[in-house]
Amino acid sequence: MLRATATAGFPARLAAKRPRVATAATRVVVAGAEVRSMLFRTLRCGPVPVPRKKACFCSNSDAGSGPEAAEGAESTGPEEGEGENASSAIVPAAFRPEDCHTVIALPLLQRPLFPGFYMPIHVKDPKLLQALVENSKRSGPYAGAFLVKDDEGTNPNAVTNSESDNSIHDLKGKELLKRLHDVGTLAQITRIQGDLVVLLGHHRVQITEMVAEDPLTVKVDHLKEMPYDKDDDVIKATSFEVISTLRDVLKTNTLWKDQVQTYTQHMGDFNYPRLADFGAAISGANKLLCQEVLEELDVCKRLKLTLQLVKRELEISKLQESIAKTIEEKVTGEQRRYWLNELLKAIKKELGLETDDKTALSEKFRERIEAKKDKCPPHVLQVIEEELTKLQLLEASSSEFSVTRNYLDWLTAVPWGDYSDENFDVHHAQCILDEDHYGLADVKERILEFIAVGKLRGSSQGKIICLSGPPGVGKTSIGHSIARALNRKFYRFSVGGLADVAEIKGHRRTYVGAMPGKMVQCLKSVGTANPLVLIDEIDKLGRGHLGDPASALLELLDPEQNANFLDHYLDVPIDLSKVLFVCTANVIEMIPNPLLDRMEIISIAGYITDEKMHIARDYLEKNTREASGIKPELVEVTDDALLALIENYCREAGVRNLQKHIEKIYRKVALKLVRQGVSNEPPRDITIVEANEGLAGFDVAIKVEDENSRNSLAKDVSVDVNPIDSSLENINAVPLTTESEVGHNEHSNEAPIENFLEETTKVFNTSSAPEANRSAQRTTEALADKSVEKVIVNASNLGDFVGKPIF
């Protein structure tokens, strides 16, 4: 009975005691949850990690009141049974952080951990991670977080790379202890997930000695803030300034918005040390400045250090705002300009003043093809219509739009069916060929035969003629004369050294920057479908990794195939059967046999001495004299000089070297004439100007075309002076104007002008007209007395112009 009574009374006594214990435990858990909930909400770290069977504790770390011992008890879930588990609610006082004097040292690489803040770190050492896991299962899951010192000579603001991070993790024992700052933070291990460990800072600690090397375990002393006066004016003013600065930063930097709002709403619950730690923790200062705040135990000094950090953050925030405003204005201006341009296009389109880009392009291409729609082949018209339809469906900003636009531009620019009117007059062609070239009987005869056949047929066909011969015999220049004789457009391109087949056949449109071949460019340039195309240096074709151009020319120069020549870019057949191809080569043996078989060879052996004499006299000398600006009456090159020049200096088959020597002679003649005072400047007109008061006096006005001609008047022996009539009635009298004023010149070479003006003035100051006439005639004779000696080039003085004979 007593046992039953005792058994029944024990739960009652236990129930009587249980409200007191539960109340204390509830108070601690709720208070801790509020603090942690506020910090988690500030740092956006998610829900509060609460262990299943034991409460989490966080010291208040207030300097004035000291740490407050928290109590807690293990709780059981509702699913657990009663009995033995029910008795576990009665436990002794929980482990306090202040009782932890031996902790595992964790190195922090970037920033120190401040009390009241969370910090996730990665632990790469498996042994250290296992020790932390075992420590977290105990009643006191705490570790020490200490900032790593920088190497000597390194910049603390520089970003560390992964190699330096790995070197820190490789250090053990005393080597690692030397690299750690003495003052750190006692941190609670709140969660371990993989190698990620989440720490919550409690209060400051200082390393005293090393206990174990692997993992590094040290003894620590718990540090407290130095006593301070809460009513001190300096501390209050400093703290208010920190709060004000934080609010200013909140206006410019939205990154701190949640953190600052949470703390500023509960500033009454926090003391000055916590305010200093908060400001330093959320600032972006480097780790050494933050470590300086962490090591400072004087609250007033700590607040001042924090104020410096948040002031710097405020300046950075203002700079960030200025940069953002500048970029925003630039972007906004460009967007506004684009919007206004689009609006202007829309307004013009509605008013009918302007169409959009695609419509304007389509209209331009349709106008091009409309003029030659009757002559254009049907298959080309079909391709153009398909591409125009495709153009309307594409966006103007797409790459395919640009490809289609360029393709239509080339396709509509080709002269489909446009032929120039040919001249089938044989006599006219003979005159033009003889006018431009001497000799070349075989070439002229072949061109006249081509014209005769075309006249009898009523239309001409394209041919492929190859002119072969040594350099300088006129192979290239004859092409211009043939085109002029046939009244055809002329186009020339050289294939010397050409190694890319795309230059002949064009590129595929799939390539970036694709272009058609030379023949399509030729047709677009000349604007007719029957030009004369001169393919120069066909014997010097190259061959490379891009193909064999000689093989590509087989289709172009074959009369049976070029009626349907296919360019890779246009991808439509082009009729080249009306084109007259003239090729030039020095050595026909260098031309591939399949290509040589498609051409008609006309050999030009060269010129004999008699032919060179006629060419030099009728063509080369005449053109060179005109190019040098020398009048025919001032120079004479004798026949014996030309003969000596040909036989002793220019014995090659062509006349290019002969032309160079003749140009050399005329350059030296020009220099000799200029030294004698010859000039081709416009002549001066001498006009008698009538004075305002009768014929008492006359002035002479010299009309000078430019200022430089004034200086050369004394030297110019070719100046034309208007003869003065013997009677005063025929004198050209004009009113006196500013043109009669002749400026004085400081140069001595203008003395003849002054003498001439003085003599002329004396003539017209006399009252006798015959005397004036005689004086003017004497002045004219004086100017004409100075003559230029004619330069004669003969065989005797030829060496003075071209040097010693070569042969």
Side-chain angles (χ1 to χ4, degrees):
M1 181 178 179
L2 291 174
R3 178 179 296 178
T5 305
T7 305
F10 181 75
R13 290 194 302 271
L14 180 61
K17 293 181 179 181
R18 187 173 296 173
R20 181 179 59 82
V21 177
T23 304
T26 303
R27 179 176 57 82
V28 174
V29 172
V30 171
E34 288 180 357
V35 175
R36 286 194 302 274
S37 176
M38 177 177 60
L39 293 176
F40 268 106
R41 196 163 56 249
T42 302
L43 300 177
R44 297 181 179 179
C45 290
V48 180
V50 181
R52 292 180 58 188
K53 291 188 177 182
K54 50 182 175 290
C56 296
F57 302 93
C58 178
S59 65
N60 194 13
S61 71
D62 288 350
S65 59
E68 187 178 293
E71 298 179 356
E74 294 184 354
S75 60
T76 59
E79 70 278 5
E80 296 180 355
E82 298 179 357
E84 293 180 0
N85 292 336
S87 64
S88 63
I90 303 176
V91 294
F95 183 81
R96 300 184 307 171
E98 289 76 9
D99 297 335
C100 184
H101 297 285
T102 303
V103 294
I104 298 175
L106 296 177
L108 302 180
L109 298 175
Q110 303 299 331
R111 291 172 61 85
L113 175 63
F114 282 89
F117 284 86
Y118 284 88
M119 176 179 288
I121 62 173
H122 288 274
V123 179
K124 298 182 180 180
D125 188 1
K127 193 172 183 180
L128 176 60
L129 184 62
Q130 183 64 27
L132 293 176
V133 172
E134 294 177 356
N135 193 18
S136 63
K137 295 179 181 179
R138 300 174 184 172
S139 59
Y142 294 97
F146 300 93
L147 183 67
V148 177
K149 298 178 182 179
D150 291 322
D151 294 334
E152 296 182 0
T154 58
N155 185 7
N157 297 323
V159 179
T160 58
N161 52 17
S162 58
E163 295 181 359
S164 61
D165 296 349
N166 294 332
S167 63
I168 295 298
H169 293 296
D170 295 337
L171 297 179
K172 304 293 182 182
K174 294 182 179 180
E175 295 181 356
L176 179 60
L177 183 63
K178 292 179 182 179
R179 293 291 304 277
L180 299 179
H181 286 275
D182 294 336
V183 178
T185 306
L186 182 67
Q188 178 185 354
I189 304 173
T190 60
R191 182 171 55 186
I192 299 178
Q193 184 175 359
D195 62 345
L196 181 66
V197 179
V198 181
L199 304 177
L200 172 62
H202 273 266
H203 56 266
R204 292 166 172 80
V205 292
Q206 186 175 9
I207 299 176
T208 57
E209 61 177 326
M210 183 178 66
V211 177
E213 292 188 357
D214 193 14
L216 179 61
T217 307
V218 295
K219 284 187 177 181
V220 294
D221 287 341
H222 298 270
L223 301 179
K224 298 181 181 180
E225 284 81 8
M226 296 173 60
Y228 65 95
D229 185 7
K230 293 183 180 180
D231 297 330
D232 185 79
D233 294 339
V234 177
I235 295 179
K236 286 185 178 181
T238 307
S239 62
F240 291 157
E241 184 64 24
V242 171
I243 297 173
S244 176
T245 306
L246 290 176
R247 288 175 177 172
D248 292 338
V249 173
L250 174 63
K251 297 178 183 178
T252 57
N253 193 346
T254 58
L255 298 177
W256 291 5
K257 186 174 182 180
D258 295 339
Q259 298 177 0
V260 176
Q261 283 182 346
T262 303
Y263 274 81
T264 51
Q265 288 174 2
H266 304 84
M267 279 305 297
D269 300 334
F270 299 99
N271 52 18
Y272 299 126
R274 178 60 63 89
L275 176 64
D277 292 343
F278 170 75
I282 65 174
S283 67
N286 61 61
K287 56 184 180 180
L288 295 183
L289 296 177
C290 295
Q291 179 67 24
E292 186 178 355
V293 175
L294 184 66
E295 295 177 355
E296 185 58 56
L297 300 179
D298 190 342
V299 176
C300 183
K301 294 182 179 180
R302 189 189 301 176
L303 282 172
K304 291 181 180 180
L305 292 175
T306 302
L307 181 60
Q308 295 178 5
L309 299 184
V310 294
K311 285 290 185 181
R312 185 177 301 175
E313 285 297 318
L314 179 60
E315 295 299 326
I316 295 176
S317 300
K318 290 181 179 179
L319 181 60
Q320 175 186 355
E321 183 182 9
S322 176
I323 295 174
K325 185 177 180 181
T326 303
I327 300 299
E328 183 179 1
E329 290 178 354
K330 182 178 179 180
V331 174
T332 304
E334 294 178 355
Q335 291 179 348
R336 182 173 179 272
R337 189 180 299 107
Y338 173 78
W339 181 79
L340 291 176
N341 288 331
E342 293 297 324
L343 182 62
L344 182 61
K345 290 180 181 178
I347 294 174
K348 289 184 177 180
K349 184 177 180 180
E350 291 295 330
L351 295 177
L353 301 177
E354 184 178 321
T355 56
D356 57 355
D357 295 338
K358 293 192 291 185
T359 306
L361 286 174
S362 299
E363 291 179 357
K364 182 182 73 170
F365 295 144
R366 291 186 185 278
E367 288 176 0
R368 282 186 186 178
I369 204 64
E370 192 67 29
K372 43 191 172 184
K373 193 172 185 179
D374 299 335
K375 303 177 183 179
C376 187
H379 63 277
V380 177
L381 291 176
Q382 181 181 359
V383 173
I384 292 176
E385 289 296 333
E386 292 176 356
E387 293 296 326
L388 286 174
T389 305
K390 178 181 176 182
L391 186 69
Q392 293 295 328
L393 300 177
L394 294 173
E395 290 293 335
S397 58
S398 65
S399 59
E400 186 68 20
F401 181 84
S402 301
V403 174
T404 306
R405 180 190 59 193
N406 294 336
Y407 178 60
L408 282 171
D409 189 15
W410 281 102
L411 201 60
T412 56
V414 175
W416 303 102
D418 289 342
Y419 302 101
S420 59
D421 297 331
E422 292 186 280
N423 187 0
F424 295 112
D425 189 354
V426 178
H427 300 287
H428 174 71
Q430 181 75 50
C431 295
I432 292 178
L433 294 175
D434 292 339
E435 179 183 349
D436 294 342
H437 291 81
Y438 183 84
L440 302 180
D442 296 340
V443 181
K444 295 178 181 178
E445 189 71 18
R446 182 64 186 87
I447 298 303
L448 295 178
E449 292 172 0
F450 176 81
I451 295 174
V453 172
K455 185 174 184 180
L456 294 178
R457 292 182 71 252
S459 62
S460 63
Q461 294 293 328
K463 293 294 180 181
I464 296 93
I465 301 174
C466 180
L467 305 178
S468 66
V473 296
K475 299 185 300 296
T476 304
S477 60
I478 193 66
H480 294 275
S481 300
I482 297 174
R484 195 158 66 94
L486 296 175
N487 194 25
R488 289 196 179 197
K489 298 290 186 179
F490 178 78
Y491 186 85
R492 172 192 173 274
F493 69 93
S494 177
V495 294
L498 187 67
D500 189 1
V501 177
E503 292 290 333
I504 306 296
K505 299 279 290 182
H507 302 85
R508 302 286 182 184
R509 291 200 306 274
T510 55
Y511 297 110
V512 177
M515 288 187 64
K518 283 292 185 181
M519 281 311 304
V520 178
Q521 298 178 28
C522 162
L523 296 180
K524 180 182 178 181
S525 176
V526 299
T528 60
N530 62 338
L532 187 146
V533 179
L534 180 67
I535 304 177
D536 217 354
E537 310 294 348
I538 198 172
D539 60 328
K540 300 175 181 61
L541 280 169
R543 175 182 292 184
H545 66 283
L546 298 176
D548 185 12
S551 301
L553 285 174
L554 294 177
E555 180 185 2
L556 179 64
L557 299 180
D558 192 347
E560 301 298 330
Q561 299 182 31
N562 60 12
N564 294 308
F565 177 76
L566 187 64
D567 186 87
H568 290 162
Y569 184 84
L570 293 186
D571 204 21
V572 292
I574 304 173
D575 185 10
L576 300 178
S577 60
K578 303 292 184 180
V579 179
L580 176 59
F581 291 96
V582 178
C583 306
T584 65
N586 296 123
V587 183
I588 61 174
E589 286 78 9
M590 301 294 295
I591 304 175
N593 289 331
L595 184 60
L596 186 64
D597 184 62
R598 286 163 169 80
M599 297 185 295
E600 181 180 351
I601 307 298
I602 300 178
S603 299
I604 304 176
Y607 299 105
I608 61 177
T609 303
D610 184 58
E611 290 177 337
K612 286 186 177 181
M613 284 288 295
H614 284 86
I615 294 173
R617 181 65 68 186
D618 299 336
Y619 300 96
L620 302 182
E621 185 188 6
K622 178 182 176 181
N623 296 335
T624 305
R625 184 172 61 245
E626 292 177 356
S628 301
I630 301 175
K631 294 183 179 180
E633 61 270 12
L634 298 178
V635 64
E636 179 183 356
V637 181
T638 61
D639 292 340
D640 57 345
L642 289 178
L643 183 61
L645 188 65
I646 293 171
E647 292 181 349
N648 300 331
Y649 295 87
C650 310
R651 291 186 181 181
E652 70 280 349
V655 294
R656 185 171 292 137
N657 193 28
L658 178 60
Q659 182 181 4
K660 293 179 181 177
H661 281 77
I662 293 177
E663 290 175 352
K664 186 176 182 180
I665 291 174
Y666 273 89
R667 287 197 300 269
K668 292 186 178 297
V669 171
L671 178 60
K672 189 173 182 179
L673 292 176
V674 170
R675 285 176 175 174
Q676 293 181 9
V678 176
S679 176
N680 288 336
E681 294 179 357
R684 286 82 177 167
D685 295 335
I686 300 178
T687 306
I688 301 176
V689 182
E690 182 182 6
N692 291 334
E693 297 180 358
L695 296 176
F698 291 89
D699 292 333
V700 176
I702 300 178
K703 297 181 181 179
V704 184
E705 296 296 335
D706 54 9
E707 294 295 333
N708 295 329
S709 60
R710 227 180 248 174
N711 298 332
S712 59
L713 180 61
K715 296 182 179 180
D716 192 357
V717 296
S718 62
V719 62
D720 297 332
V721 181
N722 295 335
I724 301 176
D725 200 284
S726 59
S727 62
L728 288 176
E729 297 176 354
N730 295 328
I731 294 179
N732 183 18
V734 297
L736 183 62
T737 60
T738 57
E739 294 182 356
S740 63
E741 299 177 359
V742 180
H744 298 282
N745 200 316
E746 298 176 359
H747 301 286
S748 60
N749 58 2
E750 291 197 353
I753 299 179
E754 298 176 359
N755 297 336
F756 172 72
L757 293 176
E758 291 177 0
E759 292 181 4
T760 311
T761 305
K762 292 178 181 178
V763 169
F764 292 105
N765 282 338
T766 59
S767 59
S768 175
E771 293 181 2
N773 188 15
R774 287 193 298 271
S775 299
Q777 290 178 356
R778 287 195 301 269
T779 305
T780 304
E781 293 173 358
L783 290 175
D785 285 342
K786 188 177 182 181
S787 61
V788 178
E789 182 181 355
K790 186 176 183 179
V791 179
I792 299 176
V793 181
N794 50 32
S796 60
N797 63 355
L798 183 62
D800 299 336
F801 295 92
V802 294
K804 296 180 180 180
I806 300 176
F807 302 104

